[in-house]
Amino acid sequence: MNDVLKGRAEALLALHRPGNPVVLPTVWDAWSARLAVDAGFAALTAGSHPLADSIGKEDNEGMVFDDVLTRVAQITAAVDVPLSVDIESGYGEAPERLIEGLLSAGAVGLNIEDTVHGEGGRLRSSAEHAELVAGLREAADKAGVRVVVNARTDLFLRQDGDEADRVDRAIARLTEAAEAGADVLYPVGVHPPEVMRRLTSELPLPVNAIARPDQSDPSSYGPLGVARISFGPFWQAALAERSKELLARWI
C-alpha cells in the first residue's frame, strides 16, 4: 500500500504547475468524488466545510479527526485518484497522528490552516504555524510518503490587522511555512488580480487559489500564475441552491 500512496503523492505534487493550474474539485463524500472523477478530474480535495455539512456537523472543527478519517476512507475506497484533505488547524492532534491517520485512510495531501479553532479561534504566530508544518513534514518523511503539505493562512479571510500591509504579512508568513517544508501555499480568499499576481510572483512555492465553480472564469487563473484551484464550500453550495429550485417545484 505504501508504494501506491507514494505514487499518488508524487502524482499530486507533479500536477502543481504555476500558470497551468490543476483543478481539485472540493468533495465531501463518495458520491461527489465519483461525480468529479467521472467528469475527468485527475485529483481531488476534501473540504472541511462541505465534509462537516454532509454529516450534520459544524465547520471549524465541529468534527473530530476520526469523523474526518471515516469520510476520507469512504472517498478513497470509491475513487482511484490522489486525495488531499483539509484538516483545519489539526483537530488538536499531534503531527504524527495526523499523518498516520491520513495515510491509513488513503489520503496523500493535506491543508493546514493557522486559525486554531480549539483555542477560541486564535491566529497562530507565523513561527508556530511553521513549526507545525515542519512537524507534518518530518512525520511524512518518517512514514516514507511525500505527503503534499498545503500551508494555508487565514489573514485575508479574517481581515487580520491593517489592510495596508496584509499582503506583506501573508507573504512573510507563508514564506516561513515554505522554509519549514510546505509544498504548496494557500493565501485563502478571493483576491483582485493585482494581489494574486503579487502573491504568485513573490511566494517561493506553487500557490492555491479558491474559485466559485458556477461564477469564476476558469481561464483567468493561469495568467495570474496560480498552480492549484479548489472550490472550498462553493461547489456544494451551488448544488444546494439548484436543489432548492428543483424541490420547490414540488411544494
Side-chain angles (χ1 to χ4, degrees):
M1 176 57 76
N2 232 29
D3 287 342
V4 172
L5 294 174
K6 283 181 182 178
R8 287 182 181 172
E10 290 167 4
L12 178 59
L13 186 57
L15 290 170
H16 292 75
R17 298 186 295 271
N20 183 20
V22 60
V23 179
L24 303 183
T26 305
V27 303
W28 53 92
D29 61 5
W31 173 81
S32 57
R34 282 179 173 156
L35 200 63
V37 171
D38 288 348
F41 291 94
L44 306 170
T45 184
S48 66
H49 193 159
L51 206 66
D53 274 353
S54 75
I55 63 168
K57 301 284 188 179
E58 294 295 322
D59 192 24
N60 301 331
E61 298 189 4
M63 302 173 74
V64 297
F65 189 48
D66 284 340
D67 290 336
V68 176
L69 295 181
T70 296
R71 205 59 150 173
V72 169
Q74 293 168 351
I75 293 169
T76 58
V79 295
D80 190 24
V81 299
L83 176 71
S84 182
V85 179
D86 176 359
I87 58 169
E88 303 214 49
S89 55
Y91 299 94
E93 302 282 356
E96 295 79 11
R97 164 68 174 139
L98 293 169
I99 293 296
E100 181 275 329
L102 290 172
L103 291 175
S104 70
V108 294
L110 62 90
N111 285 12
I112 186 72
E113 63 193 55
D114 53 5
T115 296
V116 190
H117 301 292
E119 298 178 20
R122 72 174 180 86
L123 187 72
R124 285 190 178 103
S125 70
S126 59
E128 187 183 6
H129 194 48
E131 182 180 3
L132 178 54
V133 168
L136 291 164
R137 172 56 59 221
E138 182 180 1
D141 288 347
K142 286 180 180 176
V145 178
R146 179 75 189 193
V147 175
V148 179
V149 176
N150 187 14
R152 169 177 144 171
T153 183
D154 290 347
L155 288 185
F156 298 100
L157 204 61
R158 299 165 63 107
Q159 297 187 321
D160 181 81
D162 191 340
E163 184 179 5
D165 68 346
R166 192 173 296 145
V167 175
D168 293 327
R169 287 184 286 115
I171 290 170
R173 178 174 284 257
L174 290 176
T175 298
E176 200 167 340
E179 291 167 351
D183 300 293
V184 188
L185 304 174
Y186 190 12
V188 66
V190 178
H191 305 296
E194 64 274 12
V195 171
M196 184 56 76
R197 283 193 195 94
R198 186 173 168 211
L199 289 166
T200 60
S201 64
E202 295 188 29
L203 286 169
L205 291 174
V207 173
N208 187 165
I210 195 168
R212 296 179 181 270
D214 56 335
Q215 299 175 31
S216 303
D217 177 3
S219 68
S220 67
Y221 292 88
L224 298 176
V226 170
R228 167 171 168 166
I229 299 168
S230 52
F231 297 150
F234 296 131
W235 179 28
Q236 188 187 60
L239 290 178
E241 287 304 309
R242 179 58 178 147
S243 296
K244 289 176 186 177
E245 294 172 10
L246 294 174
L247 294 171
R249 297 182 64 241
W250 299 93
I251 296 174

